[in-house]
C-alpha cells in the first residue's frame, strides 16, 4: 500500500479521511454514524502505511474494515462495545483535549498539568450536587461538601487557598460560557442556611468531558476569575445521522450515616439529682448530669408525667427516615450532515432523610449546530433548570438546627415524646426545654417550614466563519440568568419569634459575556504556528431583596401582608469587565511546543488609573520520547510554565463611602436613623491583585500505557490581594478594604495509572492520585495587623485565622495553662485554667489528599471501588464541646460514679462542700500555686492530685478551654462502590449498575460527627457545630444507549 | 481586518461608564447630618445587645439585680468575652463612626455649627461611658478610619481624655447658635438648642464630679463652671431615648427590655439584697414599683414573700429551699424571689441617659462639699425628681403626692450627707448600671455586700472588678497600641486595676 503523510491539526475526522483519499486514491464508504461523537483529530505522521493509520483510527475492537478494490468500507461492530476505560482515565497523549477558550489541543502539546474526567464517571453513582462526585478522582481537586442538608453547596479548591477571606473557588465554564457558582446564602457563626450554589445547572448526563485546569498557565486566558483554576465542562452535541436516544434511570435509597456514640447510663438532671418536678423537668431534657439510670426510679418529664428512669427506647437517630432519590434522564438527538439537534431532560426527585425535606430538579436543554453555508457554522444552546428544595435544615447556631438539638438529648428522653410539639387546642408551641434557641425538631419541620425555588436559564449563540483553511473568526454571546427565592415561615408562638415571622429572600442575577475570537494556524516545514486573539465584555447585574415580616395577624397565613411589621433591605450589584487577549502556540515537529498568552482586563470595580491590568503566561512542553526508541518507555515529556493572573475586586462599590437610612431601623418615632452605610472602610486607590505561578511536570508512560505517571510541582504567590481586613472596631469600622498580602502555595500532585492485569477476559486498573499543598502567608497586612480573623466559632472563643508566617486557616484559641514541664496549673478548686492569649490549636487545612480507584473487569461485569483520603487537618467540634458540657459525651463518664459515692459519704458525714475532701470523682493531676512557698519573686508550684465533680470540670473546660475539642479531621472513606453489568439488548447494550455512595468510613478520629461536617462553603473551614449525620446511599442505575 | 482588530481593542479597552457602574444605585453619596446624629444617639440603648452589658455586667456589679445565668458574669465576676465586648463594638462602630463622619464632613461649613456642637456633646457622652468602663481607650484617633486611614487607633490616657472632654463640652456649649442652621431630625431634643446647652453643662457637671478622688481642685472647677453655664432645670431637659414596641431582632425596642424578655429572663431577674434591703429600710414607695413577687401562674404573691431578695452572686437556683410563708404557704424555690417589675421590660420603655434628678444629686453633693449653697434643698429636689421620673415607664403606677411628701420629709441630710446623697442617687439611677457602677467606684456607695459564690466560680475571689477587660480582638487587630495600653496597666489586662479617676 502506498505510504501516507498526514499533517492535521484539530480537524474533524472527515477532513482526515479526505486527505487520505487524496493521497492514496482509495475511497471510503461508511455510515455517517462512524463519525458520531468523534473528537477533532490532530495527527502528524509521515511514511506510514494506510493500514496502520486505519487501525489507529478505527480499532478492530469497534470497527470492521473491508477493502474491495479501491473501496474501503468501514462498519461499526454490531455490538457497540462501551470502552473499558470509561471509568479509568487514560493518559492517551495523542488525544485532543479542550483547553481555555474551547480551543482543542493535543494533550502532548500542553505545557501544564491537565486532567479530564469523562461525563460517564458522574452518572453511574450520582449525587444531587454533581461536583461531589469528583471527590477523590483528580489530584489536587479538593472537594468539601457542606453538611447542610439536601441541595447544599460544595467548596472546591485547586492548589490551595490563595485569597485571604475571599472567594477561593474555581471558575466554572460550560461550553465556553462562565456560569455563576456563587451561593445566595451560607450559614455563619450565629446560624443560617446553606442555600446551595450554582452547580445545579450542570446536568451530568449532558457532560462529554470535564477538564480541570489547575494552574495559572492553563487558566490565564480566562482572566480575573480564573486565579483559582477553571473547571471546564464540554457538553454533548447532536448527531448527524439518524435518531439517538439515551435513557438512564437511577434509584437510590439514603440512610443516615449515624455517628452518634453518646453515653447511655446517666440521664436528665444536675449534680447527680433528678429534676424536682414537672416544671423543673423543663430544664433538663438536654442536660445529662443526673444520677445513674435505674429502672426503680421515676423521672419527671416536661409534659407533667413521671416515667421510669431508663434508657429511652427511641433515641435521637430515630428522628431520621429513609431517603429516596430518583433520577431519570433522557436525551434525543438527531440531524443530518448540515444540522444537528439534541434535546435532553433530566429529572431528580429526592426525599431526604430529614422528614419533610426534599428536592426536585428539572434540567432541560436544547443544542443546535448547523453549517449555514460554506464556512459559516452556527452553534447555539439553551439550558433551563428549575429546582425546588423543601426544608433546608437550619445550621450552626440557628434556633431550628435539628442537629444541634438531637446531639444533646439526654439518654432517658424518648425522641417520640417530642412529637407532641403543639398544644391540642391553641396550636401553640409546647415548651419542652426552657430554651428558645433549641426548638423542638418536630415543630421545626412542621410549623417552621422553608422552601426555595431557583429558575435558571443559560445559553449562548455562536457563529463561526471559516475564512480559509487555518483561519476562522468566531463571535459568541452567552448569558447566565438566575432567579432565586427563599421563604422561611415561622408560625405563631415559634420560640424566638413568638409573634410569628416570615423571611423572604429574592435574588436575581444576570451575567452576559460577549466575545469575539480570531484563530489562525499555519505550518512551515517542521514548524507550526497557531495564534488567536480575542476580546470579551462581561456585564454583571445582581439584585438582592431581603424582606422580613414579624407579628402575624392571622395564624398559619404565610403571606407577607399578614405581618404587622415589614422590613426590606435591597442590594444592587453592578459590574463590568472588558478584556482583550491573545495567544501564540509554536511547535517543532512532535518534539517541542511553546505557548505564549497575554490578557488585559479593564474592571469597573477598581480605581481609575489602576483599573487596567495586563498579565502574560508562557509554557513549554518537550516530548523527549520522540528522541528515544525504547520498548519500555512509550511516552515521555517534561513541561514548564510560568504565568500571571490578574484579579480585580470581586465586589463593586469599594472605592468610596456610601450613605443611607439604616435598613433595620428606617425610623423611630418619626426620626430617621441614617448615616454611613458600610462597616468596611473603602479604599480609593484599589488596584488589581496579581498571582504569579510556576509549574514543572513530567508525563511518563511505560509498557504500552500499562503504567502511567503524571507528576507536577508548582508554586504560586498571590500579591496585593484585595482584602477586607478586620480592623480595630475603635476605628469606627469592622474591616477595611486594602491591597495587601502575599500568599504562597506550593505543592506536588502525582497521578499514577496502573494496569496490573490486562487480559481479554479479566482486566484490573488502578488509579492513584495524591496531592500535597503547603500554604504560607508570607506577608499579610502592613496597614492593619498581622492577623486576619477569617471566622469565629459560636462557642469556646475559637477563631479561624490567617496570620503572617503561618498557613492559612489556623485554628486559634485558648489552651490549658501549664507550667514549664507541661503540668496543668490548677486553681483553688483544683480546676484547670487557661492561657488568656490565643495559641494555635490546629490547622483547618489538610496536609495531603488523595484517592485510589480500583476497577476489575471480568467479561461483562466490572467492579470498582473508590477510596477518598484526606490527611492531617483539624476540626473544632462544638457538638462534642456541648456534649461534654451537658454530660452526654462518653468522655464525661469518668469519675461520675466515684463522685456520686463521695457526695453520699459527705452528706452522711455532714460537712459542707468546702470542708470535705472528695473521695472519688474525676481525677485531676497538675500543680497549683503555693503563695506561701517559693520566694525570690518566683512562683512555687506544688503537685496536686485531686478528685473533682466531672460536671463542674467539663462545664469549666467547655466554657473556657477549647483545646480538648480540637480533633484530627483525617479520614479514609469508601466514596463509591459500583458493580456494572453490560447486558446485551437487541443489538445494543444496557448497562445495569449497583451503586453506593459513601458506604463506609474506614477511618476517622472524631466521635459523634462526620469529619466532613463544615457548616458553610466559605473560608470558615475547620468549624463544626450541631452537625447532622451525613448520608450513605445504595441504589441501582440503568443506562441505555438506543 | 487589521482595522477591525484595532477597533475591537479600542472598544474593549474603553472604561467609559465605569464610574457610574461602580456607584451603588441603592445608596447615597451624602446624608443629612441630623440622621447621623439620631443614629449615634439611638444605638446607645436600642436592641438587645446594647442591653446586655448594662443588664448582665453593670447592674449586677452595682448590686441592683442578679439571679439569671447571664447575670452571673457581673454578679460573681466571671469573665465573658461576648458581653464585655459589646459596648466597645457597638458604640465605636455605630455611634462614634457617624459622629466622626458628621464632624469631618461639616466642620468647614459654619452654618452647620449646631450639628457639630451636638455631635461633640454626644461624643463626650459616649466616650465617657467607654473610658469609665475600660480606662484608657482609643479616643483622639478613633472613628477616623476613612478620613485619616487610621485602622489601629492609639489608646489615649484617661486623664487626657477627661481633659479634652471638658474642652469639648465647653466649646460645644458656646458653639450652639440660634442664628445657624437648626438641628433637624433631632431625636434627643427636637431642635431645642437650649436643652442641648443644658445637657452639655450637666454632662460637664457629672464628669467634673467624677474627679473628686483624683483631683479635687479640678473637680470643683469643672463643677462650678458647669453650674455657671446652666445645668438641667427640670425633667423636660432629660436626655432620654424613645423606643417602640418591637421584639428582638428589631432594634427599635428598648435594649434592656429586649434582654429581659429573652427567654423570659425577667422571671428570674431578682432584686438584689443590697438594693431591696435599702429600699425597705428607707420605706421607699418605689420598692413595689421596681419589684414584684409572682408565682408560676403569674399571680402576685408579694403579700406572702414580701419582696424576698436574692444575695448578690447567687443564681436563682442556688438555694433550693422552698419559701414557707407566715401562714405555712409553700412557695417553690423557683418563685420565691422578688423580680423586676413589668414596666421595665416593656419594649417601648424609654431609656434615661442623664436626667434632672441626677443633676440635683450632683448639685447636692457639690453643696455638701461646700462648693455651692443649700445641699438639702438639692437633695430633696433630687428625690422628688427621681420619684416623678419613673412615671416615664409605661404602666408604672404614679406615686401618690402624699407618699412622696412623707418620704421627702423623712429624708433630711445629716452629717453623712455624701453617703445619703449618693445612696439616693443610686436609687434614682436604676436601671442605669453604667453610671451606678462608675459612681460606686468613685464614692464607695452603695457599700456592696460580699457575694455568695456558691460554686467558687468567681475569677476575682469575690472582689469587685474596677474596670472591664479590653476586647480580645484588640490583641489581634490593634496589637501595638493594645500592648501599650497593657503596659500602662502593668503588663496584663487586669480588671482589678483601677481607672485613673478611681486611684
Amino acid at each position: 500500500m502506498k505510504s501516507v503523510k498526514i499533517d492535521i491539526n484539530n480537524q474533524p475526522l472527515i477532513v482526515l479521511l479526505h486527505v487520505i483519499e487524496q493521497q492514496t486514491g482509495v475511497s471510503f464508504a461508511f455510515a455517517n454514524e462512524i463519525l458520531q461523537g468523534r473528537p477533532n483529530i490532530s495527527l502528524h505522521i509521515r511514511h506510514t502505511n494506510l493500514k496502520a493509520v486505519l487501525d489507529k483510527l478505527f480499532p478492530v475492537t469497534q470497527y470492521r474494515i473491508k477493502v474491495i478494490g479501491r473501496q474501503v468500507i468501514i462498519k461499526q461492530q454490531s455490538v457497540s462495545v462501551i470502552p473499558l476505560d470509561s471509568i479509568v482515565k487514560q493518559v492517551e497523549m495523542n488525544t485532543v483535549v479542550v483547553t481555555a477558550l474551547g480551543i482543542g489541543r493535543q494533550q502532548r502539546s500542553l505545557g501544564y498539568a491537565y486532567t479530564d474526567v469523562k461525563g460517564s464517571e458522574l452518572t453511574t453513582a450520582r449525587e444531587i450536587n454533581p461536583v461531589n462526585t469528583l471527590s477523590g478522582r483528580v489530584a489536587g481537586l479538593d472537594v468539601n461538601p457542606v453538611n447542610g442538608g439536601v441541595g447544599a453547596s460544595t467548596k472546591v479548591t485547586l492548589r490551595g487557598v490563595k485569597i485571604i477571606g475571599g472567594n477561593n473557588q474555581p471558575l466554572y465554564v460550560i461550553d465556553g460560557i462562565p456560569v455563576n457558582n456563587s451561593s445566595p446564602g451560607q450559614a455563619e457563626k450565629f446560624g443560617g442556611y446553606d442555600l446551595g450554589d450554582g452547580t445545579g445547572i450542570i446536568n451530568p448526563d449532558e457532560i462529554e468531558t470535564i477538564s480541570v485546569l489547575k494552574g495559572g498557565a492553563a487558566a490565564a486566558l480566562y482572566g480575573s476569575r480564573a486565579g483559582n483554576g477553571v473547571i471546564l465542562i464540554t457538553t454533548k452535541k447532536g448527531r448527524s445521522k439518524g435518531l439517538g436516544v439515551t435513557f438512564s434511570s437511577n434509584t437510590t435509597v439514603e440512610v443516615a450515616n449515624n455517628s452518634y456514640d453518646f453515653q447511655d447510663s446517666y440521664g436528665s438532671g444536675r449534680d447527680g439529682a433528678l429534676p424536682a418536678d414537672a416544671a423543673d423537668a423543663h430544664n433538663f431534657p438536654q442536660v445529662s448530669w443526673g444520677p445513674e439510670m435505674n429502672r426503680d426510679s421515676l423521672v419527671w418529664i416536661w409534659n407533667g408525667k413521671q416515667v421510669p428512669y431508663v434508657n429511652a427506647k427511641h433515641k435521637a437517630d430515630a428522628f431520621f427516615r429513609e431517603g429516596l432519590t430518583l433520577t431519570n434522564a433522557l436525551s434525543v438527538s438527531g440531524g443530518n450532515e448540515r444540522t444537528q439537534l439534541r434535546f435532553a431532560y433530566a429529572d431528580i426527585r429526592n426525599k431526604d432523610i430529614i422528614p419533610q425535606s426534599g428536592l426536585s430538579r428539572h434540567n432541560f436543554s436544547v443544542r443546535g449546530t448547523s453549517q449555514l453555508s460554506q464556512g459559516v457554522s452556527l452553534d447555539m444552546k439553551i439550558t433551563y433548570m428549575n429546582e425546588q428544595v423543601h426544608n433546608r435544615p437550619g445550621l450552626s447556631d440557628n434556633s431550628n438546627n435539628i442537629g444541634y438539638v438531637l446531639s444533646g438529648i439526654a439518654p432517658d428522653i424518648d425522641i417520640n415524646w417530642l412529637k407532641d410539639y403543639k398544644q391540642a387546642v391553641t396550636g401553640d408551641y409546647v415548651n419542652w426545654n426552657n430554651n428558645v434557641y433549641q426548638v423542638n425538631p418536630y415543630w421545626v419541620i412542621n410549623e417552621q417550614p422553608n422552601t426555595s425555588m431557583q429558575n435558571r436559564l443559560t445559553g449562548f449563540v455562536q457563529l463561526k466563519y471559516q475564512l480559509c483553511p487555518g483561519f476562522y473568526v468566531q463571535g459568541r454571546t452567552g448569558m447566565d440568568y438566575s432567579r432565586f427565592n427563599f421563604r422561611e415561615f415561622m408560625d405563631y408562638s415559634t420560640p424566638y419569634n413568638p409573634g410569628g415571622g416570615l423571611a423572604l429572600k429574592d435574588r436575581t442575577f444576570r451575567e452576559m459575556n460577549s466575545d469575539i475570537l480570531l484563530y489562525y494556524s499555519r505550518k512551515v516545514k517542521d514548524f507550526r504556528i497557531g495564534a488567536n486573539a480575542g476580546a470579551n465584555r462581561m456585564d454583571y447585574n445582581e439584585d438582592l431583596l431581603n424582606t422580613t415580616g414579624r407579628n402575624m395577624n392571622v395564624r398559619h397565613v404565610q403571606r407577607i401582608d399578614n405581618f404587622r411589621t415589614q422590613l426590606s433591605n435591597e442590594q444592587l450589584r453592578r459590574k463590568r469587565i472588558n478584556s482583550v487577549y491573545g495567544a501564540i502556540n509554536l511547535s517543532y515537529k512532535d518534539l517541542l511546543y511553546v505557548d505564549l498568552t497575554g490578557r488585559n482586563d479593564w474592571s469597573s470595580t477598581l480605581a481609575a488609573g489602576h483599573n487596567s491590568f495586563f498579565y502574560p503566561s508562557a509554557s513549554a512542553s518537550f516530548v523527549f520520547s520522540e528522541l528515544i526508541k525504547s520498548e519500555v518507555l512509550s511516552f515521555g515529556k517534561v513541561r514548564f510554565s510560568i504565568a500571571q493572573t490578574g484579579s480585580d475586586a470581586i465586589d463593586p462599590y469599594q472605592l468610596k463611602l456610601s450613605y443611607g437610612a439604616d435598613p433595620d431601623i428606617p425610623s423611630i418615632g418619626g426620626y430617621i436613623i441614617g448615616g454611613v452605610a458600610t462597616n468596611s472602610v473603602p479604599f480609593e486607590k484599589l488596584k488589581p491583585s496579581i498571582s504569579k505561578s510556576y509549574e514543572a511536570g513530567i508525563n511518563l508512560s511505560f509498557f504500552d500505557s500499562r503504567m502511567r505517571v503524571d507528576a507536577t510541582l508548582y508554586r504560586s504567590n498571590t500579591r496585593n490581594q484585595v482584602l477586607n481586613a478586620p480592623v480595630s472596631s475603635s476605628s469606627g469600622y469592622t474591616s477595611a478594604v486594602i491591597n495587601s498580602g502575599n500568599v504562597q502555595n506550593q505543592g506536588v500532585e502525582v497521578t499514577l495509572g496502573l494496569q496490573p492485569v490486562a487480559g481479554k477476559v479479566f482486566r484490573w486498573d488502578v488509579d492513584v492520585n495524591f496531592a500535597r499543598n503547603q500554604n504560607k502567608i508570607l506577608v499579610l497586612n502592613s496597614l492593619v495587623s498581622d492577623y486576619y480573623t477569617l471566622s469565629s466559632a459560636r462557642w469556646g472563643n475559637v477563631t479561624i485565622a490567617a496570620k503572617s508566617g503561618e498557613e492559612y486557616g489556623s485554628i486559634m484559641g485558648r489552651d490549658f495553662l501549664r507550667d514549664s514541664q507541661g503540668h496543668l496549673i490548677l486553681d483553688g478548686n483544683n480546676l484547670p485554667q487557661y492561657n488568656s492569649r490565643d495559641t494555635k490549636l490546629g490547622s483547618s487545612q489538610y496536609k495531603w489528599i488523595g484517592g485510589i480507584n480500583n476497577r476489575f473487569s471480568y467479561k461483562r461485569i466490572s467492579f470498582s471501588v473508590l477510596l477518598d483520603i484526606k490527611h492531617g487537618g483539624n476540626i473544632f467540634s462544638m457538638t462534642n464541646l456541648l456534649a461534654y458540657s451537658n454530660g452526654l459525651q462518653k468522655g464525661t463518664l469518668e469519675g461520675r460514679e466515684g463522685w456520686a459515692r463521695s457526695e453520699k459519704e459527705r452528706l452522711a458525714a455532714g460537712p459542707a462542700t468546702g470542708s470535705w475532701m472528695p473521695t472519688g470523682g474525676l481525677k485531676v493531676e497538675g500543680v497549683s500555686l503555693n503563695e506561701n512557698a517559693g520566694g525570690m519573686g518566683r512562683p512555687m508550684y506544688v503537685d496536686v492530685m485531686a478528685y473533682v465533680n466531672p460536671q463542674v470540670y467539663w462545664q469549666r473546660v467547655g466554657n473556657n478551654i477549647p483545646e480538648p475539642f480540637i480533633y484530627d479531621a483525617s479520614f479514609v472513606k469508601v466514596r463509591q462502590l459500583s458493580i456494572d453489568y453490560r447486558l446485551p439488548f437487541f443489538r445494543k447494550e444496557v448497562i445495569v449498575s449497583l451503586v453506593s455512595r459513601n458506604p463506609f468510613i474506614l477511618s476517622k478520629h472524631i466521635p459523634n460527627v462526620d469529619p466532613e461536617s463544615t457548616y458553610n462553603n466559605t473560608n470558615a473551614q475547620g468549624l463544626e457545630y450541631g452537625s447532622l449525620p451525613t448520608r450513605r446511599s445504595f441504589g441501582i442505575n440503568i443506562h441505555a444507549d438506543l | 481586518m487589521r482595522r477591525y482588530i484595532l477597533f475591537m481593542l479600542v472598544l474593549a479597552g474603553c472604561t467609559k461608564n465605569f464610574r457610574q457602574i461602580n456607584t451603588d444605585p441603592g445608596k447615597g453619596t451624602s446624608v443629612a447630618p441630623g440622621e447621623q446624629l439620631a443614629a449615634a444617639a439611638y444605638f446607645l440603648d436600642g436592641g438587645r445587645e446594647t442591653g446586655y452589658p448594662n443588664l448582665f455586667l453593670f447592674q449586677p456589679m452595682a448590686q441592683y439585680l442578679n439571679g439569671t445565668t447571664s447575670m452571673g458574669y457581673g454578679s460573681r465576676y466571671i469573665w465573658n468575652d461576648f458581653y464585655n465586648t459589646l459596648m466597645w463594638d457597638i458604640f465605636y462602630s455605630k455611634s462614634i463612626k457617624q459622629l466622626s463622619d458628621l464632624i469631618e464632613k461639616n466642620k468647614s461649613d459654619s452654618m452647620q455649627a449646631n450639628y457639630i456642637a451636638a455631635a461633640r456633646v454626644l461624643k463626650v457622652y459616649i466616650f465617657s461611658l467607654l473610658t469609665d468602663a475600660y480606662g484608657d481607650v482609643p479616643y483622639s484617633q478613633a472613628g477616623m478610619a476613612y478620613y485619616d486611614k487610621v485602622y489601629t487607633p492609639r489608646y489615649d490616657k484617661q486623664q487626657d481624655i477627661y481633659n479634652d472632654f471638658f474642652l469639648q463640652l465647653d466649646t460645644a456649649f458656646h458653639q450652639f447658635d440660634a442664628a445657624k442652621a437648626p438641628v433637624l431630625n433631632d431625636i434627643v431634643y427636637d431642635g431645642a438648642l437650649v436643652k442641648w446647652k443644658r445637657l452639655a453643662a450637666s454632662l460637664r457637671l457629672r464628669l467634673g464630679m467624677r474627679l473628686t478622688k483624683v483631683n479635687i481642685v479640678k473637680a470643683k472647677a469643672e463643677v462650678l463652671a458647669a453650674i455657671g453655664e446652666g445645668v438641667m432645670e427640670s425633667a423636660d431637659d432629660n436626655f432620654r431615648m424613645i423606643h417602640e414596641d418591637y421584639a428582638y431582632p428589631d432594634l427599635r425596642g428598648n435594649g434592656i427590655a429586649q434582654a429581659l424578655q429573652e427567654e423570659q429572663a425577667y422571671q428570674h431577674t431578682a432584686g438584689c439584697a443590697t438594693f431591696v434591703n435599702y429600699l425597705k429600710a428607707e420605706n421607699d414607695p418605689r420598692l413595689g414599683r421596681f419589684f414584684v413577687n409572682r408565682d408560676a401562674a403569674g399571680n402576685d404573691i408579694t403579700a406572702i414573700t414580701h419582696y424576698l431578695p436574692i444575695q448578690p452572686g447567687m443564681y436563682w437556683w442556688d438555694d433550693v429551699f422552698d419559701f414557707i410563708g407566715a401562714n405555712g404557704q409553700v412557695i417553690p424555690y423557683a418563685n420565691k424571689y422578688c423580680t423586676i417589675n413589668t414596666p421595665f421590660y416593656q419594649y417601648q420603655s424609654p431609656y434615661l441617659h442623664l436626667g434632672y434628678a441626677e443633676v440635683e444629686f450632683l448639685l447636692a453633693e457639690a453643696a455638701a462639699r461646700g462648693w455651692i449653697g443649700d445641699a438639702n434643698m438639692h437633695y430633696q429636689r433630687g428625690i422628688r425628681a427621681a420619684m416623678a421620673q419613673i412615671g416615664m415607664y409605661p404602666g408604672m403606677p404614679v406615686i401618690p403626692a402624699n407618699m412622696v411628701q412623707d418620704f421627702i420629709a423623712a429624708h433630711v441630710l445629716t452629717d453623712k450627707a455624701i453617703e445619703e446623697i449618693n445612696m439616693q442617687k443610686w436609687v434614682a439611677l436604676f436601671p442605669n448600671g453604667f453610671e451606678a457602677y462608675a459612681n460606686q467606684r468613685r464614692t464607695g456607695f452603695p457599700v456592696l455586700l460580699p457575694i455568695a459564690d456558691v460554686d467558687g466560680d468567681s475569677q476575682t475571689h469575690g472582689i469587685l472588678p474596677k474596670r472591664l477587660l479590653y476586647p480580645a480582638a484588640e490583641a489581634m487587630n490593634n496589637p501595638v497600641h493594645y500592648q501599650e495600653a497593657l503596659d500602662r496597666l502593668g503588663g496584663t489586662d487586669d480588671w482589678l486595676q483601677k481607672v485613673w479617676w478611681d486611684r
Side-chain angles (χ1 to χ4, degrees), chain A residues 581-776:
Chain A
Y581 38 79
I584 295 171
N585 320 121
L586 298 165
S587 65
Y588 172 69
K589 292 187 175 169
D590 289 338
L591 198 60
L592 187 65
Y593 302 84
V594 175
D595 287 7
L596 302 168
T597 73
R599 177 166 172 135
N600 200 92
D601 285 351
W602 290 262
S603 169
S604 68
T605 63
L606 298 172
H610 296 290
N611 58 11
S612 164
F613 48 109
F614 174 78
Y615 42 97
S617 86
S619 63
S621 162
F622 175 55
V623 184
F624 60 84
S625 55
E626 290 288 306
L627 304 176
I628 307 165
K629 287 281 166 228
S630 162
E631 288 291 302
V632 176
L633 182 73
S634 357
F635 180 83
K637 85 167 182 186
V638 288
R639 51 192 158 76
F640 304 93
S641 78
I642 173 168
Q644 281 192 5
T645 342
S647 189
D648 64 345
I650 305 296
D651 295 320
Y653 320 139
Q654 299 189 94
L655 303 181
K656 51 181 192 275
L657 273 188
S658 57
Y659 297 86
D662 191 292
D664 295 327
I665 315 173
S667 78
I668 180 151
Y671 299 99
I672 298 167
I673 305 293
V676 176
T678 172
N679 287 320
S680 180
V681 192
F683 187 47
E684 304 88 337
K685 299 199 171 104
L686 207 57
K687 59 185 179 188
S689 163
I690 298 286
S691 182
K692 193 180 272 186
S693 59
Y694 308 87
E695 176 180 329
I698 188 162
N699 293 78
L700 299 171
S701 179
F702 302 96
F703 312 114
D704 273 339
S705 294
R706 293 275 298 268
M707 180 181 157
R708 304 173 310 276
V709 180
D710 179 351
T712 309
L713 286 170
Y714 62 86
R715 169 187 284 185
S716 73
N717 289 78
T718 310
R719 292 185 176 82
N720 281 334
Q721 305 196 356
V722 179
L723 299 181
N724 199 9
V727 297
S728 168
S729 54
S730 65
S731 71
Y733 298 78
T734 51
S735 61
V737 179
I738 52 167
N739 277 118
S740 188
N742 179 359
V743 176
Q744 178 173 291
N745 282 281
Q746 55 186 14
V748 54
E749 291 161 354
V750 181
T751 305
L752 187 67
L754 288 172
Q755 210 173 64
V757 183
K760 275 193 169 161
V761 178
F762 179 70
R763 183 167 149 180
W764 175 22
D765 291 287
V766 188
D767 225 21
V768 180
N769 67 71
F770 168 89
R772 171 166 168 69
N773 183 70
Q774 282 175 294
N775 173 292
K776 193 169 185 188

Side-chain angles (χ1 to χ4, degrees), chain A residues 1 25-27 66-72:
Chain A
M1 268 185 180
V26 300
S27 73
K66 244 184 180 173
V67 182
I68 306 172
R70 292 200 153 189
Q71 180 93 347
V72 180

Side-chain angles (χ1 to χ4, degrees), chain A residues 832-846:
Chain A
Q833 306 178 81
Y834 56 87
N835 266 321
S836 57
R837 293 252 173 152
D838 287 357
T839 50
K840 183 174 172 178
L841 300 173
S843 167
S844 64
Q845 292 200 51
Y846 286 103

Side-chain angles (χ1 to χ4, degrees), chain A residues 263-275 287-294 297-299 309-310 411-412 893 896-897 900 951:
Chain A
Q263 62 93 358
D264 55 8
S265 42
Y266 288 81
S268 296
R270 177 175 50 216
D271 289 322
L274 288 169
V287 182
S288 309
W289 289 112
E292 190 164 6
M293 284 191 276
N294 175 355
S297 25
L298 290 174
V299 61
Y309 184 50
V310 293
D412 59 311
L893 290 177
R896 286 171 89 158
E897 198 186 340
Q951 177 185 340

Side-chain angles (χ1 to χ4, degrees), chain A residues 738-867:
Chain A
I738 52 167
N739 277 118
S740 188
N742 179 359
V743 176
Q744 178 173 291
N745 282 281
Q746 55 186 14
V748 54
E749 291 161 354
V750 181
T751 305
L752 187 67
L754 288 172
Q755 210 173 64
V757 183
K760 275 193 169 161
V761 178
F762 179 70
R763 183 167 149 180
W764 175 22
D765 291 287
V766 188
D767 225 21
V768 180
N769 67 71
F770 168 89
R772 171 166 168 69
N773 183 70
Q774 282 175 294
N775 173 292
K776 193 169 185 188
I777 297 164
L778 299 180
V779 175
L780 183 53
N781 188 339
S782 54
L783 276 167
V784 187
S785 76
D786 268 350
Y787 202 98
Y788 188 115
T789 307
L790 297 163
S791 73
S792 50
R794 177 66 184 89
W795 306 106
N797 298 309
V798 166
T799 54
I800 305 296
K803 193 172 184 297
S804 75
E806 297 272 353
E807 66 186 324
Y808 189 94
S810 301
I811 302 176
M812 306 292 294
R814 292 167 178 164
D815 61 349
F816 286 105
L817 189 66
R818 294 184 171 90
D819 69 5
S820 53
Q821 276 90 52
H823 304 118
L824 296 182
I825 301 176
L826 303 174
D827 70 3
N829 299 313
N830 296 323
L831 293 173
Q833 306 178 81
Y834 56 87
N835 266 321
S836 57
R837 293 252 173 152
D838 287 357
T839 50
K840 183 174 172 178
L841 300 173
S843 167
S844 64
Q845 292 200 51
Y846 286 103
K847 289 206 165 55
W848 58 264
I849 61 172
I852 302 172
N853 196 0
N854 273 284
R855 184 180 165 88
F856 307 92
S857 310
Y858 175 74
K859 291 185 176 168
R860 291 179 167 276
I861 298 177
S862 63
F863 168 71
S864 72
V865 50
L866 173 66
L867 293 184

Side-chain angles (χ1 to χ4, degrees), chain B residues 468-490:
Chain B
L468 297 188
L469 296 184
Y470 292 122
E474 283 290 292
M476 290 140 198
N477 297 335
N478 195 3
V480 175
H481 298 307
Y482 171 74
Q483 191 56 48
E484 285 167 9
L486 295 199
D487 290 344
R488 295 204 286 266
L489 283 169

Side-chain angles (χ1 to χ4, degrees), chain B residues 49-69:
Chain B
E49 294 191 343
T50 57
Y52 286 157
N54 192 355
L55 187 67
F56 297 157
L57 303 179
F58 299 128
Q59 291 183 19
M61 284 158 94
Q63 298 196 348
Y64 283 132
L65 304 167
N66 53 286
T68 66
T69 312

Side-chain angles (χ1 to χ4, degrees), chain B residues 356-425:
Chain B
Y356 170 61
E358 182 190 341
V359 166
E360 286 292 350
F361 287 122
L362 286 164
L363 295 175
E365 183 173 342
R369 290 180 183 277
W371 300 342
I372 57 170
D374 188 345
N376 198 56
M377 177 190 77
H378 288 299
Y379 175 62
Q380 294 190 338
R381 278 185 190 167
I383 294 171
R384 186 181 298 278
M387 295 266 182
Q389 160 187 301
I390 60 171
M392 74 180 183
Y393 295 104
M396 183 70 84
V398 175
I399 304 171
N402 61 323
M403 287 176 83
V404 175
Q405 201 49 49
D406 291 351
F407 187 81
I408 289 171
H411 284 77
V412 178
L413 287 178
T414 67
D415 55 353
K416 288 160 118 189
I418 300 286
E419 174 175 355
E420 287 157 351
I421 292 164
N422 280 293
M423 289 303 281
Q424 279 303 311
K425 184 169 146 188

